[in-house]
Amino acid sequence: MLRNMKMNKIWVVVPLILTLLSCKREYTDKGVVGPTQIMASKDFKVTAPFSAPIDPVLFDLDVCEEFAATFNETVSWKIIITGNTSKGTKTLSGTSDKLDANTAKWCGSHDGLYFFEAGETVTAELIVSGSTTTYKTSFTIGSTLNYSAPTSNFQLVKGCDFETGAILGFSQGQFEIPNATFIKVLAQNETIAAPEGVYFCRISGKSIENNGFFVAGIQHRGKDSTATAFFPPDWTDPTKIFLNVYVRGIDNLMTGYRPFATLNFEVDENDNDLLANLTNCPYASGDGFCPPNEDGWVFKIPITHQGWKLFSCRYSDLIPSEDGKNGGFGNRVLQPQNACRVQFGLVSSPPFNFVQADIDFACMTYGAPYDPTK
Amino acid sequence: MRTFAKKVLVVVALLISATYVSNAQVVYWNGLGRALVTGSWLNGNALKSDPGVGQQKDTTSYRKSTDGYTIFDLGINAQPNEALRAAVILRLSNSFGGFYGDGSQFLFRQLRLDGVISKKVKYEIGDIDIGLSQYTLYNFSEIYNDYESDILRQRRSVVEYENFNFGNKWRMQGANVETNLRFTQGIEKIGLKFFATRNKRYTAATNPDRFMIGGRVDVMQSRNIQVGMNYVYLWDALRTINNPSLTPTNKNQVLTGDFKLSHFMDKIDLSVYGEVGMSNNAYSVNAMTDTIKTTDHFYDVGASVKYKPLLLKFWVNYRDVGANFFSTGAQTRRINDYGTPNMFSYLNNTVVEPGVMAPGTRQVTMLDYVSDQNLRNLNLQNSLMVYNPAYNNITPYGQATPNRKGFTIGGSIGNSEKLIKADVIADLLSESVSVGDTIGKELRKYTGVKGGLSLNLHKLLRYEKGIVLTLGGRYENTVRTGVNAISLKSTLVDAGLTVEVVKQLDLIGGVKYISAKGSESIYLRNIYNEITNPFISYNLDQNQTLISYGARYRFSKNTYFSVNGVRQVVKYTQQNNLNYNIDQVFFNYTMIF
């Protein structure tokens, strides 16, 4: 009986193995995985030297750098571009026997955290697969991409690159709340580099409100009293609109540190349009937004990280404002075309703590979160 | 200061409570005390100018470094009955440089509740160590170090203790339950094991909570027939963060079955064993509804014969692990080969692998492997980590390394209690599918031989004091022919000698040598575990020599004081201007009670 049981166990195990052995792997027919890679042979030569002919390159005029080189054989290569000042980086790669406008073109985007800066010298290093020799060239960025100009799927929150060195002011739709004491536009220095350009904005302080939560913020208003929509007219689908901002967290964050600071990235929608009833709405102004009767939609960013980080949120994932006096009682329907204000608010929780958040390059995108590599 | 005083009061209160309770219950203590001091010096050609190659003198990298700390881990174990034991380890640490206690830290290092319910069910809650099979949940060694010298193993043990590398288990937070059901006929016993853990705590707006559940069922029909099943499931809890639709998440499931059929005779034991299984891995893609899914399988079967009088064993395995087989718990590396070392982190004139290392970062060496506590990885990763091919190119992700098939043949004799313990293992493996060669689709072939011996010379010489010699080595050869030819050879040699000169006083010494020459490609993977473009072509002609020598006085079995001299030499054969050395003096007092 024991022998029968042993045989039974074997008859269970063997078919299990055979079943798995017969499973075909999805890549078996292709015979290869991973990207193309062709290494240089021992006879590899660069027959025309590696160069960046456009110098300086003006990215804001839609001019791209077109690297050039010719090889005596087809190889896999990569070009690593590094900003000498900004430390921005970009990597191009491909497999070909030459570099030209079709294979090695750079139009100003970046891969890492930092954007390239206008006026800086960049170094491009060509590395060929299988070759120990690298080739370098340098050129200057005359101007960077023009982020102020909106496109069909990108819109900078006005003034939120802070490159004027200051808050724009009420007349231009950007102002401090409650006052300028809490808001500083700072130039980058040896310890803190701005992700984009040379300036970033710091919101810091201790709340002067009775409840001690809200510290300070920056508000951006759309057009004037005609309440023209904040977003382009074809940005209607809340699932396709994204809010993006670079936020710098806390240095030397101790293990288990409690996140006192939260940055609220808020979009306010003018649902009720009380332009004609300003007496009932002491906070209303030319944009028609009456805070106690409208919708405020919030992207909460707890400041628990270190260094700069890009945060993105889909419009449809925004949560309603918890402040009844400011955006807490609208129609509770996401209506991007009703958006008339965007604001950043720094909150302390628990209340009455000194908190700080650095922000830069707040923007809206349509279709996908902001991707600086593209 | 006030906070520190409060913590001391808490500890005192706990101690008093425990003492009071101990009259009726069992309270016992254990722990570890350690003091380390390291003095290091950096020198070599890398710091000098070399006009011939345009190298400028390094004026910014540090030349000297002093480090050290004192720690006291006090373990308090209260066991009121068999069903419950509460164990906590409190750590008091003081890094050198802290002034009169102001630099001291007090923290909870470990908290665990465990016990046995009704003499049948064993449970653990809290900080627990969990492992299953080598293809499901296994914390493998990063490099072959079976015959590492005693002096370097002792140094490594400090790092492993700090990083909870106890055996091949992963330290996690959660709960684990085990039980055995015994029968009187038919089946001898069924073992059941289940666990549930949290691997990563959420970071609001960024990372969701990550959980893992799993378990094992093994059926022992008799000592001749054993079968088992292992299952692990790791997933990200999307709703624990603010904007779930933008955060890529991962679900990884691995299911395996294993078996062992044995036949025992008077002098010879025969066994046939194996494990087969499959993985299912899925990532949700940022802001899109589609997911990236991969499914693959593996099998690993073998046979062994053991001649018991000599403790002589031979075995042969064949395995085929699919290229898309992914097991988070089994393929996560415990060391980051391209991390920033704690000691002499930056070196202006050095070899840098673009794309994996920041410019000016000193590359991780053998000395960092055995001494740097911060290079270790404690979290399961949901994509394959990048590795240095010079250190381990055949099984960089352990036994479960994907895209490997072939034979492993081995033999061993003796054990550490006998005169000699030795083994040799040969790997004859290749890729299952070509990676990176879209032209010829050639496969890499891996040939590896590793082994060593540990010789208790005092038994041979009939000497009353201990003399132990260890020798070990590992050779790897990776070859791919065709248009995209690859050839990488690396050799690792370990040698060590421990001599007890007078009672409890040892002179200890050891050498570790590694050389690597050739070319290989390093593949970076994105957060969806896909190989990204660009490649990194890795050309190497380098050797490292790590020499350590010193003395150790053993106060007892678990208490010792040792003083070591260390010299690490790093040489680049084709780039002598980048050579450097690190010299160290290392003091270690360790007390385990």
Side-chain angles (χ1 to χ4, degrees), chain B residues 400-467:
Chain B
T401 300
N403 200 20
R404 298 288 187 273
K405 66 178 182 182
F407 286 97
T408 298
I409 304 165
S412 68
I413 186 169
N415 61 31
S416 54
E417 303 299 319
K418 301 286 185 184
L419 167 65
I420 187 169
K421 174 191 173 222
D423 62 50
V424 60
I425 302 169
D427 289 309
L428 304 168
L429 304 172
S430 73
E431 292 178 313
S432 305
V433 62
S434 179
V435 178
D437 183 6
T438 50
I439 307 297
K441 301 182 184 178
E442 298 285 342
L443 304 177
R444 286 179 174 82
K445 291 185 172 31
Y446 304 97
T447 306
V449 179
K450 59 190 177 187
L453 66 89
S454 172
L455 190 60
N456 290 320
L457 279 173
H458 55 280
K459 292 189 177 182
L460 186 66
L461 301 172
R462 299 183 192 280
Y463 188 57
E464 59 180 6
K465 295 186 178 55
I467 303 177

Coordinates of all heavy atoms in Angstrom, one line a residue, chain B residues 400-467:
Chain B
A400 N 17.1 32.4 -8.4 CA 15.9 32.8 -9.2 C 16.2 33.8 -10.3 O 15.3 34.4 -10.9 CB 14.8 33.3 -8.3
T401 N 17.5 34.0 -10.6 CA 17.9 34.9 -11.7 C 17.2 34.6 -12.9 O 17.3 33.4 -13.4 CB 19.4 34.9 -11.9 OG1 20.1 35.3 -10.7 CG2 19.8 35.9 -13.0
P402 N 16.5 35.5 -13.5 CA 15.7 35.1 -14.7 C 16.6 35.0 -15.9 O 17.8 35.4 -16.0 CB 14.8 36.3 -14.9 CG 15.5 37.5 -14.3 CD 16.2 36.9 -13.1
N403 N 16.1 34.3 -16.9 CA 16.8 34.1 -18.2 C 18.1 33.3 -18.0 O 19.1 33.6 -18.5 CB 17.1 35.4 -18.9 CG 17.4 35.3 -20.4 OD1 17.0 34.3 -21.0 ND2 18.1 36.3 -20.9
R404 N 17.9 32.2 -17.3 CA 19.0 31.3 -17.1 C 18.5 29.8 -17.3 O 17.5 29.5 -16.8 CB 19.7 31.4 -15.7 CG 20.3 32.7 -15.3 CD 21.6 32.9 -16.1 NE 22.2 34.1 -15.6 CZ 22.0 35.4 -16.1 NH1 21.1 35.5 -17.1 NH2 22.6 36.4 -15.6
K405 N 19.3 29.0 -18.0 CA 19.0 27.6 -18.0 C 20.3 26.8 -18.1 O 21.3 27.3 -18.7 CB 18.1 27.3 -19.3 CG 18.8 27.5 -20.6 CD 17.8 27.1 -21.7 CE 18.6 27.3 -23.1 NZ 17.7 27.0 -24.2
G406 N 20.3 25.6 -17.6 CA 21.5 24.8 -17.7 C 21.7 24.0 -16.4 O 20.8 23.9 -15.5
F407 N 22.8 23.4 -16.4 CA 23.2 22.5 -15.3 C 24.0 23.1 -14.2 O 24.8 24.0 -14.5 CB 24.0 21.3 -15.9 CG 23.1 20.3 -16.6 CD1 23.0 20.4 -18.0 CD2 22.4 19.3 -15.9 CE1 22.3 19.5 -18.7 CE2 21.6 18.4 -16.6 CZ 21.5 18.5 -18.0
T408 N 23.8 22.7 -13.0 CA 24.7 23.0 -11.9 C 25.1 21.7 -11.3 O 24.3 20.8 -11.0 CB 24.0 23.9 -10.9 OG1 23.7 25.1 -11.4 CG2 24.9 24.1 -9.7
I409 N 26.4 21.5 -11.2 CA 26.9 20.2 -10.7 C 27.8 20.5 -9.5 O 28.6 21.5 -9.5 CB 27.8 19.5 -11.7 CG1 26.9 19.3 -13.0 CG2 28.3 18.2 -11.3 CD1 27.8 19.0 -14.2
G410 N 27.7 19.7 -8.4 CA 28.5 20.0 -7.3 C 28.8 18.8 -6.4 O 28.2 17.7 -6.6
G411 N 29.8 19.0 -5.6 CA 30.2 17.9 -4.7 C 30.7 18.6 -3.4 O 31.3 19.7 -3.4
S412 N 30.5 17.9 -2.3 CA 31.0 18.4 -1.0 C 31.4 17.2 -0.1 O 31.0 16.1 -0.3 CB 29.9 19.2 -0.3 OG 28.9 18.4 0.1
I413 N 32.3 17.6 0.8 CA 32.8 16.6 1.8 C 33.0 17.2 3.1 O 33.4 18.4 3.2 CB 34.1 15.9 1.3 CG1 34.5 14.8 2.2 CG2 35.2 16.9 1.2 CD1 35.6 13.9 1.6
G414 N 32.6 16.4 4.2 CA 32.9 16.9 5.5 C 32.0 18.0 6.0 O 31.0 18.3 5.3
N415 N 32.3 18.4 7.2 CA 31.6 19.6 7.7 C 32.5 20.4 8.6 O 33.7 19.9 8.8 CB 30.3 19.2 8.5 CG 30.5 18.3 9.6 OD1 31.6 18.4 10.3 ND2 29.6 17.5 9.9
S416 N 32.1 21.5 9.2 CA 33.0 22.3 9.9 C 33.5 21.7 11.2 O 34.5 22.2 11.8 CB 32.3 23.7 10.2 OG 31.1 23.4 10.9
E417 N 32.9 20.7 11.7 CA 33.3 20.0 12.9 C 34.4 19.0 12.6 O 35.2 18.6 13.5 CB 32.1 19.2 13.6 CG 30.9 20.1 13.9 CD 31.3 21.2 14.8 OE1 32.0 21.0 15.8 OE2 30.8 22.4 14.6
K418 N 34.5 18.6 11.4 CA 35.5 17.6 11.0 C 36.9 18.2 10.7 O 37.0 19.5 10.8 CB 35.0 16.8 9.8 CG 33.7 16.1 10.0 CD 33.8 14.9 10.8 CE 32.5 14.1 10.9 NZ 32.6 13.0 11.8
L419 N 37.8 17.4 10.3 CA 39.1 17.9 9.9 C 39.0 18.9 8.7 O 39.6 19.9 8.6 CB 40.0 16.8 9.5 CG 41.3 17.1 8.8 CD1 42.2 18.0 9.7 CD2 42.1 15.8 8.4
I420 N 38.2 18.5 7.8 CA 38.1 19.3 6.5 C 36.6 19.4 6.1 O 35.8 18.5 6.3 CB 38.9 18.6 5.4 CG1 38.9 19.5 4.2 CG2 38.4 17.3 5.0 CD1 39.9 19.1 3.1
K421 N 36.3 20.6 5.6 CA 35.1 20.8 4.9 C 35.4 21.4 3.6 O 36.1 22.4 3.5 CB 34.2 21.7 5.7 CG 32.9 22.0 5.0 CD 32.1 23.2 5.8 CE 30.9 23.6 4.9 NZ 30.7 25.0 4.9
A422 N 34.9 20.8 2.5 CA 35.2 21.3 1.2 C 34.0 21.1 0.2 O 33.3 20.2 0.4 CB 36.5 20.7 0.6
D423 N 33.9 22.0 -0.7 CA 32.9 21.7 -1.8 C 33.4 22.4 -3.1 O 34.2 23.3 -3.0 CB 31.5 22.2 -1.4 CG 31.4 23.6 -1.1 OD1 31.9 24.5 -1.9 OD2 30.9 24.0 0.0
V424 N 32.8 22.0 -4.1 CA 33.1 22.6 -5.4 C 31.7 22.5 -6.2 O 31.0 21.5 -6.2 CB 34.2 21.9 -6.2 CG1 33.9 20.5 -6.5 CG2 34.5 22.7 -7.5
I425 N 31.4 23.6 -6.9 CA 30.2 23.7 -7.6 C 30.5 24.3 -9.0 O 31.2 25.3 -9.1 CB 29.2 24.6 -6.9 CG1 28.9 24.1 -5.5 CG2 27.9 24.8 -7.7 CD1 28.1 25.1 -4.6
A426 N 29.9 23.7 -10.0 CA 30.1 24.2 -11.4 C 28.8 24.6 -12.0 O 27.8 23.8 -11.9 CB 30.8 23.2 -12.2
D427 N 28.7 25.8 -12.5 CA 27.5 26.3 -13.2 C 27.8 26.3 -14.7 O 28.7 26.9 -15.2 CB 27.1 27.7 -12.8 CG 26.6 27.8 -11.4 OD1 25.7 27.0 -11.1 OD2 27.1 28.6 -10.6
L428 N 26.9 25.6 -15.5 CA 27.0 25.5 -16.9 C 25.7 26.0 -17.5 O 24.8 25.3 -17.7 CB 27.3 24.1 -17.4 CG 28.6 23.5 -16.8 CD1 28.6 22.0 -17.1 CD2 29.8 24.2 -17.3
L429 N 25.6 27.3 -17.5 CA 24.3 27.9 -17.8 C 24.4 28.8 -19.1 O 25.5 29.1 -19.6 CB 23.9 28.9 -16.7 CG 23.8 28.2 -15.3 CD1 23.5 29.3 -14.2 CD2 22.7 27.2 -15.3
S430 N 23.2 29.1 -19.6 CA 23.1 30.0 -20.7 C 21.8 30.8 -20.6 O 21.0 30.5 -19.8 CB 23.2 29.3 -22.1 OG 22.0 28.6 -22.3
E431 N 21.7 31.8 -21.4 CA 20.4 32.5 -21.5 C 19.4 31.7 -22.2 O 19.7 30.8 -23.0 CB 20.6 33.9 -22.3 CG 21.5 34.9 -21.6 CD 21.6 36.2 -22.4 OE1 21.9 36.0 -23.6 OE2 21.5 37.2 -21.8
S432 N 18.1 31.9 -21.8 CA 17.0 31.3 -22.5 C 16.7 32.1 -23.8 O 16.3 31.5 -24.8 CB 15.8 31.2 -21.7 OG 16.0 30.6 -20.4
V433 N 16.9 33.4 -23.7 CA 16.5 34.2 -24.9 C 17.6 35.3 -24.9 O 18.1 35.7 -23.9 CB 15.1 34.8 -24.8 CG1 15.0 35.7 -23.5 CG2 14.7 35.6 -26.0
S434 N 17.9 35.7 -26.1 CA 19.0 36.8 -26.2 C 18.5 38.1 -25.7 O 17.3 38.5 -25.8 CB 19.4 36.9 -27.7 OG 20.4 37.9 -27.8
V435 N 19.4 38.8 -25.0 CA 19.1 40.1 -24.5 C 20.0 41.1 -25.2 O 21.2 41.0 -25.0 CB 19.3 40.2 -23.0 CG1 19.0 41.6 -22.5 CG2 18.3 39.2 -22.3
G436 N 19.5 42.0 -26.0 CA 20.3 43.0 -26.6 C 20.9 42.7 -28.0 O 21.3 43.6 -28.6
D437 N 20.9 41.5 -28.4 CA 21.4 41.2 -29.7 C 20.3 40.9 -30.7 O 19.9 39.7 -30.9 CB 22.4 39.9 -29.6 CG 23.1 39.6 -31.0 OD1 22.9 40.4 -31.9 OD2 23.8 38.6 -31.0
T438 N 19.8 42.0 -31.3 CA 18.7 41.8 -32.2 C 19.1 41.4 -33.6 O 18.3 41.0 -34.4 CB 17.9 43.1 -32.3 OG1 18.8 44.2 -32.6 CG2 17.2 43.5 -31.0
I439 N 20.4 41.4 -33.8 CA 21.0 41.0 -35.1 C 21.1 39.5 -35.2 O 20.5 38.8 -36.0 CB 22.4 41.6 -35.4 CG1 22.3 43.2 -35.2 CG2 22.9 41.3 -36.8 CD1 21.4 43.9 -36.2
G440 N 22.0 38.9 -34.4 CA 22.2 37.5 -34.4 C 21.5 36.7 -33.4 O 21.4 35.4 -33.5
K441 N 20.8 37.4 -32.4 CA 20.1 36.7 -31.4 C 20.9 35.6 -30.7 O 20.4 34.6 -30.3 CB 18.8 36.0 -32.0 CG 17.9 37.1 -32.6 CD 16.6 36.5 -33.1 CE 15.8 37.5 -33.8 NZ 14.5 37.0 -34.4
E442 N 22.2 35.9 -30.5 CA 23.1 35.0 -29.8 C 22.8 35.0 -28.4 O 22.3 36.0 -27.8 CB 24.5 35.4 -30.1 CG 25.0 35.4 -31.5 CD 25.2 34.0 -32.0 OE1 25.3 33.1 -31.2 OE2 25.2 33.8 -33.2
L443 N 23.1 33.9 -27.7 CA 22.8 33.8 -26.3 C 24.1 33.9 -25.5 O 25.2 33.4 -26.0 CB 22.2 32.4 -26.0 CG 20.9 32.1 -26.7 CD1 20.4 30.7 -26.3 CD2 19.8 33.1 -26.3
R444 N 24.1 34.5 -24.4 CA 25.2 34.5 -23.5 C 25.4 33.1 -22.9 O 24.4 32.4 -22.5 CB 25.1 35.4 -22.3 CG 25.2 36.9 -22.7 CD 25.0 37.7 -21.4 NE 25.2 39.2 -21.7 CZ 24.4 40.0 -22.2 NH1 23.2 39.6 -22.6 NH2 24.7 41.3 -22.4
K445 N 26.6 32.6 -22.8 CA 26.9 31.4 -22.1 C 27.7 31.7 -20.8 O 28.7 32.4 -20.9 CB 27.7 30.4 -23.0 CG 26.9 29.9 -24.2 CD 27.6 28.9 -25.0 CE 26.8 28.2 -26.0 NZ 25.7 29.0 -26.6
Y446 N 27.3 31.1 -19.7 CA 27.9 31.4 -18.4 C 28.6 30.1 -17.9 O 27.9 29.1 -17.8 CB 26.9 31.8 -17.4 CG 26.1 33.0 -17.8 CD1 24.8 32.9 -18.4 CD2 26.6 34.3 -17.6 CE1 24.1 34.0 -18.7 CE2 25.8 35.4 -17.9 CZ 24.6 35.3 -18.5 OH 23.8 36.4 -18.8
T447 N 29.8 30.2 -17.6 CA 30.5 29.1 -17.0 C 31.1 29.6 -15.7 O 31.8 30.6 -15.6 CB 31.7 28.6 -17.9 OG1 31.2 28.4 -19.2 CG2 32.4 27.4 -17.3
G448 N 30.8 28.9 -14.6 CA 31.2 29.3 -13.3 C 31.7 28.1 -12.5 O 31.1 27.0 -12.6
V449 N 32.8 28.3 -11.8 CA 33.3 27.3 -10.9 C 33.6 28.0 -9.6 O 34.2 29.0 -9.5 CB 34.5 26.6 -11.4 CG1 35.0 25.5 -10.4 CG2 34.3 25.9 -12.7
K450 N 33.1 27.4 -8.5 CA 33.3 28.0 -7.2 C 33.5 26.9 -6.2 O 32.9 25.8 -6.4 CB 32.2 29.0 -6.8 CG 30.8 28.3 -6.7 CD 29.7 29.4 -6.5 CE 28.4 28.7 -6.5 NZ 27.3 29.7 -6.6
G451 N 34.2 27.2 -5.2 CA 34.4 26.2 -4.1 C 35.4 26.6 -3.1 O 35.9 27.7 -3.2
G452 N 35.7 25.7 -2.3 CA 36.7 26.0 -1.3 C 36.9 24.9 -0.2 O 36.2 23.9 -0.3
L453 N 37.7 25.2 0.7 CA 37.9 24.3 1.8 C 38.2 25.0 3.1 O 38.7 26.1 3.1 CB 39.0 23.2 1.5 CG 40.4 23.7 1.4 CD1 41.1 23.7 2.8 CD2 41.2 22.9 0.4
S454 N 37.7 24.4 4.1 CA 38.0 24.9 5.5 C 38.7 23.7 6.2 O 38.2 22.7 6.4 CB 36.8 25.3 6.2 OG 37.0 25.6 7.5
L455 N 40.0 24.0 6.6 CA 40.8 22.9 7.2 C 41.1 23.3 8.6 O 41.7 24.3 9.0 CB 42.1 22.9 6.4 CG 43.0 21.7 6.6 CD1 42.4 20.4 6.3 CD2 44.3 21.9 5.7
N456 N 40.7 22.4 9.5 CA 41.0 22.5 10.9 C 42.4 21.9 11.1 O 42.6 20.7 11.5 CB 40.0 21.8 11.8 CG 38.6 22.5 11.8 OD1 38.6 23.8 11.8 ND2 37.6 21.8 11.7
L457 N 43.4 22.7 10.9 CA 44.8 22.2 10.9 C 45.2 21.7 12.3 O 46.0 20.8 12.4 CB 45.7 23.3 10.5 CG 45.9 23.6 9.0 CD1 46.7 24.8 8.8 CD2 46.5 22.4 8.3
H458 N 44.6 22.2 13.3 CA 45.0 21.8 14.7 C 44.6 20.3 14.9 O 45.3 19.6 15.6 CB 44.3 22.6 15.8 CG 42.8 22.7 15.7 ND1 42.2 23.5 14.8 CD2 41.9 22.0 16.3 CE1 40.9 23.4 14.9 NE2 40.6 22.5 15.8
K459 N 43.6 19.8 14.2 CA 43.2 18.4 14.3 C 44.3 17.6 13.5 O 44.6 16.5 13.9 CB 41.8 18.2 13.7 CG 40.7 18.8 14.6 CD 39.3 18.4 14.2 CE 38.3 19.0 15.1 NZ 37.0 18.6 14.8
L460 N 44.7 18.1 12.4 CA 45.7 17.4 11.7 C 47.1 17.3 12.4 O 47.7 16.3 12.5 CB 45.9 18.1 10.3 CG 46.8 17.4 9.3 CD1 46.2 16.0 8.9 CD2 47.0 18.3 8.1
L461 N 47.4 18.4 13.0 CA 48.7 18.5 13.7 C 48.6 18.1 15.2 O 49.6 18.1 15.9 CB 49.2 20.0 13.7 CG 49.4 20.6 12.3 CD1 49.7 22.1 12.4 CD2 50.5 19.9 11.6
R462 N 47.4 17.7 15.6 CA 47.1 17.3 16.9 C 47.5 18.4 17.9 O 48.2 18.1 18.9 CB 47.7 16.0 17.3 CG 47.2 14.9 16.4 CD 47.8 13.5 16.8 NE 47.5 12.5 15.8 CZ 46.4 11.9 15.7 NH1 45.4 12.1 16.6 NH2 46.2 10.9 14.8
Y463 N 47.2 19.6 17.6 CA 47.6 20.8 18.4 C 46.4 21.1 19.2 O 45.2 21.1 18.8 CB 48.0 21.9 17.4 CG 48.6 23.1 18.1 CD1 49.7 23.0 18.9 CD2 48.0 24.4 17.9 CE1 50.3 24.1 19.5 CE2 48.6 25.5 18.5 CZ 49.7 25.3 19.3 OH 50.3 26.4 19.9
E464 N 46.6 21.5 20.5 CA 45.5 21.7 21.4 C 44.8 23.1 21.1 O 43.6 23.2 21.5 CB 46.0 21.7 22.8 CG 47.1 22.7 23.2 CD 47.5 22.6 24.6 OE1 47.0 21.7 25.3 OE2 48.3 23.4 25.1
K465 N 45.4 24.0 20.5 CA 44.8 25.3 20.2 C 44.4 25.3 18.7 O 45.0 24.6 17.9 CB 45.8 26.4 20.6 CG 46.1 26.5 22.0 CD 47.0 27.7 22.3 CE 47.3 27.9 23.8 NZ 47.9 26.7 24.4
G466 N 43.5 26.2 18.5 CA 42.9 26.2 17.1 C 43.8 26.8 16.0 O 44.4 27.9 16.2
I467 N 43.8 26.1 14.9 CA 44.5 26.7 13.7 C 43.5 26.3 12.6 O 43.3 25.1 12.3 CB 45.8 26.1 13.4 CG1 46.8 26.3 14.6 CG2 46.4 26.7 12.2 CD1 48.1 25.7 14.4

